[in-house]
Amino acid sequence: MKDLSVDPASQAVRGTLTETAEISWLISHQNVAPPTGVKVCVIGGGFVGLVTATGLAQAGHSVTCVEKDKQKAADLAAGKVAIFEQGLSELLQANLQRDRLTFTTDLAGSVSGQDMIVISVGTPSTDDGQADLSAFTEVIRDLARSLRSGQVVTIKSTVPVCTALFASQLLNEGRNGQGPIPVVSNPEFLREGTAVYDFFHPRRIVVGGNDPIAVEKVVQVYRAGLSRPAPIVVTSNETAEMIKYASNVYLAMRIAYINELSAVCDALDIEVADVSSAMGLDPRIGPDYLDVGPGFGGSCLPKDLNAFVAGAQRVGVNLAIAPAVREANERQLDRVAEKVRAIVGGDLKDMRIGVLGLSFKAQTQDMRDSPSMAVVLRLLAHGATVQAFDPAAMEEARRLLPQVRLCATAAEAGAGADAIVILTEWPEFQLLDWAGIGRLMRSARLVDSRNLLSPEILRRHGFEYIGMGQK
Ligand code: UDX
C-alpha cells in the first residue's frame, strides 16, 4: 500500500476499521490446527478458490488447488498472491511450507485419492444476465472421467438453482453400475477484503444435498476450521443454491434502498446517517449494511442480481423488486456524477476532476463492476479530465481506464483539480492532509460519495463540501 502523508491535525475520521485484530491473531497461532487427514482438491484458484484452499489447509486438511492458468499456478506455488486480501498471503505461505497446500494445473491427475472435490470456478454473467456455466460444465465433464465411488463433489461456485441436479446427472450418467458420486451444494458468503476472517468466522455454513453421509463429510471438513461455533444449515441442494442468491439480492436491495433514501434526505435537508442509525436499532432491521455510497458493485452482487432475474424469468415469474434494484443502482451512479457536475458550477467540460478510490470497495484491488469506474466513465462522457488515485487498484486501473491519468498519491490526484470526488471508502483518505490538498487544487471542492469525511472539518479547511443525504 502507498505511503500517504498524514497530518494528524487535519484528521477527518469517521467510522472504524474491520476485523484486522482477529486476522493477526490467526496468523500468530498458525500451528494450532492439527492435521485431520482429509484430502481436498479445490478446483479454481480465483478469489474464492484460493481463500477456500488456504483456509482448509490452515484448518488441518491436505489441499491440492487446481488452477489452469500456468503462470498463476506457478506464482501461487511460489507463495505469490496477486490479489489484495488481508492475511491471505501469510496463511498461504505458512501452509505451503507445511506441505499442506499444493498448486497444480493438472485436474485429471489431481482427483485420484481425494476425499472431497470443491468446485470454485467463475460463473460470470452472459450478455443476457444468466450465469455462464461453461467453465463449470467443463470441470464436471472432466471429473466424470476421473472420479471414483466414495468421493464427494462440492459446489462452491455460485450457480443457478437446479445446477447441482444437472451436475449430478452429468457426473453419474456413464458410470455403468459403479456407486453414484454425491453432489453437495455449499455456497460461500466471503466478503472481499475480510474473506480470511469470514472463512474462520462464518455467520452460517450452508450445506445442501440428498446424500446424508456426503453432507456430514462436508460439514466435518468445515467444522475443523471454525474458531467458534457457527450455525450449520443442512438442506436440499436447491434450497442451498437459492439461499446464496436470496442473500445477495437482499443485500443489493438494502444498499439500493439506503442510497435512494439518501436522495430523499438530500431533498428534505435531513441527515441520512441519523435515520439509518435509528433504523438499525430495530433488531428486525439491524445496523449493518446501511452505509450510503455510489452504489453496489463487485464480482458478486450485480452478477447474482442479474442471474436471479434471469432465473425467475425462466420459470415464468415476473419480478418487480429485483429489476428495480438494478435501476436504482444506476440512478445512484448518475446522482454522484450529477453532484460533481453541480459542485463545479453545472458544466464538466474541460473541468479537471480528482478521483479518490477506484476499487469497488475498500480493502481490495478489485475493480470488477466497480461503481467508481461507472462514475468515472460518466465524468469523462461529460467532457471532464480525470486524474485518479487508489491505494490498491492502480494496476487494474491502468488496464481498465486508459483514458484516466493515474497519480502516485492522493495529493497528486487533487493537484490543479476543480473538484475531488471520493468514490471508495479507503480509511487512508480520512487521514490525508486535507488542508494541504485544498491548497494544491484549483478550487477546493469535494464530493464525498461515501460520507467518509467530516463536513465540518473539511469546511474549516476551506472546502466546499457535498456528501450524500446530509444537511
Ligand atoms: C458480497 C457479499 O457480502 C458476500 O456475502 C458474497 O459472498 C459476495 O458478495 P463483496 O462483493 O465482497 O461481498 O462485497 P460487500 O462488502 O458485500 O459490498 C458489496 C458492494 O456494496 C460494494 O460495492 C460496497 O461498497 C457496497 N456497500 C456495502 C455499500 O455501498 N454500503 C454498505 O453498507 C455495504
Side-chain angles (χ1 to χ4, degrees):
M1 197 172 306
K2 290 274 172 338
D3 184 20
L4 300 168
S5 57
V6 173
D7 169 13
S10 76
Q11 280 186 9
V13 178
R14 270 195 183 184
T16 54
L17 241 182
T18 50
E19 294 86 354
T20 315
E22 293 258 13
I23 289 175
S24 327
W25 180 89
L26 201 66
I27 292 166
S28 62
H29 288 71
Q30 286 178 49
N31 292 314
V32 179
T36 55
V38 174
K39 295 180 82 179
V40 185
C41 176
V42 176
I43 302 174
F47 159 74
V48 172
L50 195 53
V51 172
T52 304
T54 308
L56 290 174
Q58 174 69 14
H61 304 299
S62 173
V63 182
T64 305
C65 181
V66 180
E67 167 51 55
K68 72 179 188 182
D69 180 323
K70 278 190 189 142
Q71 187 57 51
K72 201 165 159 190
D75 285 349
L76 291 168
K80 285 187 224 152
V81 181
I83 57 173
F84 182 93
E85 189 62 51
Q86 258 185 108
L88 184 59
S89 174
E90 294 85 339
L91 281 193
L92 180 114
Q93 283 162 19
N95 285 288
L96 283 173
Q97 273 164 24
R98 287 188 195 126
D99 286 333
R100 278 206 211 141
L101 180 58
T102 51
F103 291 91
T104 174
T105 52
D106 178 16
L107 192 151
S110 304
V111 170
S112 154
Q114 304 286 350
D115 298 298
M116 179 166 124
I117 320 294
V118 179
I119 305 177
S120 57
V121 295
T123 53
S125 278
T126 60
D127 289 343
D128 59 357
Q130 303 199 37
D132 178 353
L133 291 181
S134 49
F136 176 85
T137 309
E138 198 184 314
V139 168
I140 294 288
R141 287 192 203 283
D142 287 345
L143 289 177
R145 288 189 281 272
S146 335
L147 288 175
R148 296 281 170 272
S149 300
Q151 295 182 299
V152 177
V153 169
T154 301
I155 303 177
K156 196 165 272 299
S157 302
T158 302
V159 290
V161 176
C162 290
T163 302
L165 182 66
F166 154 78
S168 181
Q169 283 162 353
L170 214 57
L171 272 179
N172 289 302
E173 66 192 5
R175 291 189 60 74
N176 297 331
Q178 294 178 59
I181 302 292
V183 176
V184 172
S185 303
N186 171 229
E188 53 80 24
F189 303 98
L190 305 169
R191 294 164 300 170
E192 289 190 30
T194 52
V196 173
Y197 175 89
D198 289 349
F199 184 89
F200 292 101
H201 303 81
R203 300 284 174 95
R204 77 290 210 196
I205 295 175
V206 175
V207 185
N210 54 21
D211 177 328
I213 296 173
V215 166
E216 183 55 24
K217 263 190 194 166
V218 175
V219 167
Q220 290 307 336
V221 166
Y222 282 100
R223 197 169 266 155
L226 295 183
S227 301
R228 58 175 178 241
I232 296 180
V233 179
V234 173
T235 180
S236 68
N237 291 99
E238 291 73 27
T239 303
E241 290 164 336
M242 182 57 96
I243 288 169
K244 169 71 186 202
Y245 282 107
S247 302
N248 275 358
V249 172
Y250 177 79
L251 291 173
M253 184 180 74
R254 210 169 144 100
I255 297 164
Y257 175 71
I258 199 70
N259 285 337
E260 201 155 75
L261 184 73
S262 82
V264 181
C265 286
D266 259 336
L268 295 172
D269 206 19
I270 293 169
E271 190 75 34
V272 71
D274 294 344
V275 180
S276 61
S277 49
M279 282 166 63
L281 293 173
D282 183 333
R284 292 173 302 172
I285 297 175
D288 294 345
Y289 230 76
L290 285 175
D291 291 331
V292 170
F296 59 81
S299 64
C300 291
L301 263 49
K303 163 177 90 75
D304 294 352
L305 181 59
N306 286 340
F308 180 74
V309 173
Q313 253 162 16
R314 245 197 343 263
V315 292
V317 181
N318 190 12
L319 300 175
I321 293 175
V325 168
R326 273 198 305 216
E327 165 69 22
N329 206 45
E330 286 292 309
R331 287 198 201 169
Q332 184 68 359
L333 298 166
D334 294 340
R335 253 178 232 125
V336 174
E338 185 52 32
K339 280 181 188 259
V340 181
R341 197 178 64 79
I343 207 171
V344 297
D347 189 1
L348 277 163
K349 193 155 172 13
D350 299 327
M351 289 287 166
R352 185 177 295 275
I353 306 299
V355 165
L356 296 189
L358 294 169
S359 55
F360 82 96
K361 65 173 187 178
Q363 313 305 338
T364 176
Q365 89 299 346
D366 199 343
M367 282 182 64
R368 281 176 289 177
D369 259 317
S370 170
S372 306
M373 195 159 105
V375 171
V376 166
L377 294 176
R378 280 162 170 77
L379 300 177
L380 292 168
H382 282 107
T385 305
V386 176
Q387 47 193 43
F389 169 75
D390 186 283
M394 299 305 265
E395 222 175 289
E396 291 215 17
R398 213 158 282 132
R399 197 165 45 82
L400 295 171
L401 286 172
Q403 325 84 310
V404 169
R405 183 164 85 79
L406 297 175
C407 303
T409 62
E412 195 183 319
D418 297 284
I420 286 179
V421 55
I422 294 181
L423 294 173
T424 312
E425 76 285 23
W426 284 100
E428 289 89 328
F429 298 157
Q430 298 173 315
L431 305 176
L432 291 169
D433 170 11
W434 281 104
I437 291 176
R439 285 192 292 275
L440 296 174
M441 296 176 71
R442 193 143 60 188
S443 303
R445 303 172 177 134
L446 183 80
V447 174
D448 183 358
S449 79
R450 299 272 183 175
N451 288 353
L452 187 70
L453 306 182
S454 152
E456 296 75 31
I457 295 177
L458 266 288
R459 285 184 188 127
R460 218 181 301 140
H461 289 320
F463 273 82
E464 187 182 339
Y465 174 99
I466 302 185
M468 310 293 288
Q470 293 183 338
K471 274 191 180 180

